[in-house]
Amino acid sequence: MTISNNKPKALIIDPACHSHAGHNVDSVLRYAKELEAKYDVSLAVSGTSAKLLSSGYKVYKISNPYPFVKLDTFTNSFCAKIYFKCLQLSRYIYTWLPRVLDHRSSSARHKLKCILKEFKPKDGDLLFLPSTDYYYGLEILKFYKNTKTPANLHLRFIGVLENGRFSKRASKTEILKLIKHLKDDFRIKISAETERYATYIKNITGARVEVTRYPLTIRKKNDSNKAVTGPLIVSCPGASREDKGSFDTIPIVNSIFATCGEKVVVNVQGFRKGDLAWEKDAMFLAKRHPTLRLLAPRVSRSDFERYILDADIILLPYNPSSYWYRGSAIFFESIEQGKYMIGRGGNAFVDDLADNNIIDRFYKIDQLGAMMESLSLKPKSYFKEEGEARLERYLSMYDSVNIG
């Protein structure tokens, strides 16, 4: 990437961008593409995958203060179980330790200080956190408070990592209180992934809060070889975890097969090794239902995209207790491919879009079964045509990512 002295600079900071798989690498690069027309873009991430290093952007390495996100990388069940227990113990310990003893805060502070010293933010430059977290979010706010840097700051909240030290009792209010005190003195833009979350942050801080959505590429992949006859293919993309509603896999799959039989094929990613009991239940379910395809717990980015592309329906049964304020990268990556989607009511992104007929909504599992029974009677061409129409409706409503 050629650096131009005529452009201001932008630094994208994402400490959860640690893995070759998942959405964060793709998300960071999508936002970088959106910004590069106006800025010379650099990246500060906790993982340096080949995709990032070959992107042409300057890449800074920062620490990953969230060890739970590494649980998906384990391939041995016993090691994963031990690691999970150690993390649970550390969660308990860090809940009671004084803040000053939390090494994650000091690590984030040190890394941020070193990077900003080299980056040298100036007037007109931009520091952008697309997935604002507790540690780096708090430290960069303190940096603004102490240095009064002339650069612009954009904090985008997605409702995932704002809580400190993994404590269930910790709330988002500490970082939001600091925003409340800084909002009149500094050039800080606050945004959220969903309308519901933006309203929540606005009520807490009194600040103006906008909505910044996941960037769409609208470069549809080739699905010309996709079968136009045969069973309906329903996919649940993404890691199988409690927050994704995956622990409802057994009643969901049983409900679908009870109403549709073998007219429907269901694709589900297997459970990570730390969730040993659920993994065994899912394997038993796959033996019981021949049209249930249990995929690997972790899939490559290309396989993940194919996973979405091959589906007639994308099912997102996310847990509303986790996604009450949250959006879904899988939703955005599916809508840009013109996919027909069904999601669980109570989730912010589902409730935002269901009233505009961009996604179907269910609340109870038996309701989903009845919905699937009706849909299984439609030709496969219906889902392609309706998915394309839903993409057009989405684009007519949301035509701007809204970063700068």
Side-chain angles (χ1 to χ4, degrees):
M1 194 70 57
T2 302
I3 301 297
S4 168
N5 292 327
N6 297 323
K7 285 184 180 180
K9 298 179 297 179
L11 178 64
I12 300 176
I13 304 171
D14 189 349
C17 184
H18 73 288
S19 173
H20 295 264
H23 302 287
N24 288 77
V25 170
D26 205 51
S27 168
V28 163
L29 292 177
R30 286 174 184 238
Y31 281 117
K33 189 71 175 177
E34 290 285 332
L35 289 169
E36 68 178 17
K38 184 178 177 182
Y39 298 93
D40 287 323
V41 181
S42 299
L43 314 176
V45 294
S46 56
T48 50
S49 69
K51 191 172 184 179
L52 287 171
L53 293 176
S54 64
S55 66
Y57 300 108
K58 181 176 178 58
V59 178
Y60 299 94
K61 181 69 181 293
I62 59 177
S63 59
N64 169 24
Y66 303 99
F68 266 93
V69 296
K70 295 183 179 178
L71 187 59
D72 290 330
T73 65
F74 279 84
T75 58
N76 180 279
S77 298
F78 177 76
C79 292
K81 195 171 183 179
I82 295 299
Y83 183 69
F84 183 67
K85 293 295 184 185
C86 291
L87 291 175
Q88 287 181 315
L89 178 61
S90 71
R91 166 182 279 180
Y92 178 81
I93 292 172
Y94 277 110
T95 297
W96 296 104
L97 277 178
R99 187 83 54 188
V100 69
L101 297 180
D102 188 347
H103 70 89
R104 289 186 272 256
S105 292
S106 58
S107 175
R109 187 181 311 115
H110 173 71
K111 289 290 185 180
L112 194 60
K113 183 178 179 180
C114 292
I115 289 171
L116 293 179
K117 183 178 181 180
E118 181 179 346
F119 184 75
K120 296 183 176 66
K122 299 177 181 177
D123 187 26
D125 292 345
L126 174 67
L127 304 177
F128 176 45
L129 277 68
S131 308
T132 300
D133 73 307
Y134 177 83
Y135 291 102
Y136 282 88
L138 204 57
E139 291 305 323
I140 204 165
L141 282 171
K142 291 177 180 177
F143 172 80
Y144 260 65
K145 182 178 179 181
N146 295 331
T147 64
K148 299 189 182 298
T149 176
N152 299 312
L153 174 64
H154 181 175
L155 300 180
R156 176 179 180 260
F157 289 83
I158 66 171
V160 178
L161 298 174
E162 295 95 323
N163 287 357
R165 303 186 294 174
F166 297 109
S167 169
K168 291 184 178 180
R169 292 201 304 271
S171 71
K172 302 175 178 64
T173 55
E174 185 169 355
I175 190 169
L176 296 182
K177 282 179 179 177
L178 191 50
I179 290 171
K180 182 177 180 179
H181 293 147
L182 295 179
K183 72 180 192 312
D184 294 328
D185 301 321
F186 297 90
R187 288 181 284 183
I188 299 177
K189 177 176 179 176
I190 308 298
S191 71
E193 191 173 22
T194 65
E195 298 281 357
R196 182 181 292 169
Y197 200 15
T199 300
Y200 170 81
I201 296 173
K202 179 181 179 181
N203 290 340
I204 294 291
T205 65
R208 180 186 177 190
V209 185
E210 302 178 21
V211 176
T212 300
R213 301 183 189 279
Y214 192 84
L216 302 189
T217 60
I218 315 298
R219 292 193 297 269
K220 289 178 61 60
K221 307 297 189 299
N222 180 15
D223 60 354
S224 58
N225 295 325
K226 193 171 180 295
V228 295
T229 59
L232 196 64
I233 299 177
V234 179
S235 289
C236 300
S240 291
R241 304 193 306 261
E242 182 180 11
D243 62 315
K244 301 285 188 183
S246 304
F247 289 0
D248 288 333
T249 294
I250 293 175
I252 285 174
V253 169
N254 282 332
S255 176
I256 292 174
F257 289 139
T259 56
C260 303
E262 295 185 7
K263 291 185 290 184
V264 173
V265 171
V266 180
N267 294 320
V268 178
Q269 282 186 228
F271 289 83
R272 58 190 182 182
K273 295 298 181 179
D275 299 316
L276 194 58
W278 296 103
E279 181 189 17
K280 290 180 178 178
D281 288 342
M283 292 175 67
F284 172 78
L285 198 64
K287 292 178 181 178
R288 181 177 174 184
H289 297 293
T291 53
L292 171 62
R293 296 173 182 166
L294 194 61
L295 308 181
R298 299 181 72 242
V299 297
S300 67
R301 182 67 197 182
S302 59
D303 286 345
F304 178 80
E305 291 176 355
R306 176 55 57 182
Y307 188 15
I308 291 176
L309 192 64
D310 287 345
D312 298 300
I313 296 174
I314 301 296
L315 176 61
L316 305 173
Y318 294 173
N319 186 341
S321 67
S322 298
Y323 277 80
W324 178 255
Y325 292 114
R326 289 170 60 179
S328 165
I330 292 176
F331 164 81
F332 293 112
E333 293 180 20
S334 297
I335 196 66
E336 72 182 0
Q337 296 303 324
K339 288 299 174 181
Y340 189 105
M341 280 177 278
I342 302 174
R344 195 189 310 237
N347 295 302
F349 73 98
V350 175
D351 292 342
D352 276 354
L353 300 167
D355 292 339
N356 295 293
N357 197 22
I358 294 173
I359 187 171
D360 289 359
R361 174 171 49 189
F362 75 95
Y363 290 95
K364 296 182 179 180
I365 292 174
D366 56 354
Q367 183 184 3
L368 172 63
M371 186 184 296
M372 287 303 308
E373 183 178 21
S374 174
L375 292 174
S376 68
L377 302 176
K378 297 182 180 295
K380 290 167 75 74
S381 59
Y382 166 81
F383 300 99
K384 180 177 176 61
E385 294 166 4
E386 177 60 18
E388 295 281 357
R390 292 182 177 195
L391 171 58
E392 292 303 317
R393 280 196 293 274
Y394 180 86
L395 293 176
S396 69
M397 293 173 59
Y398 310 108
D399 60 352
S400 174
V401 176
N402 186 28
I403 304 177

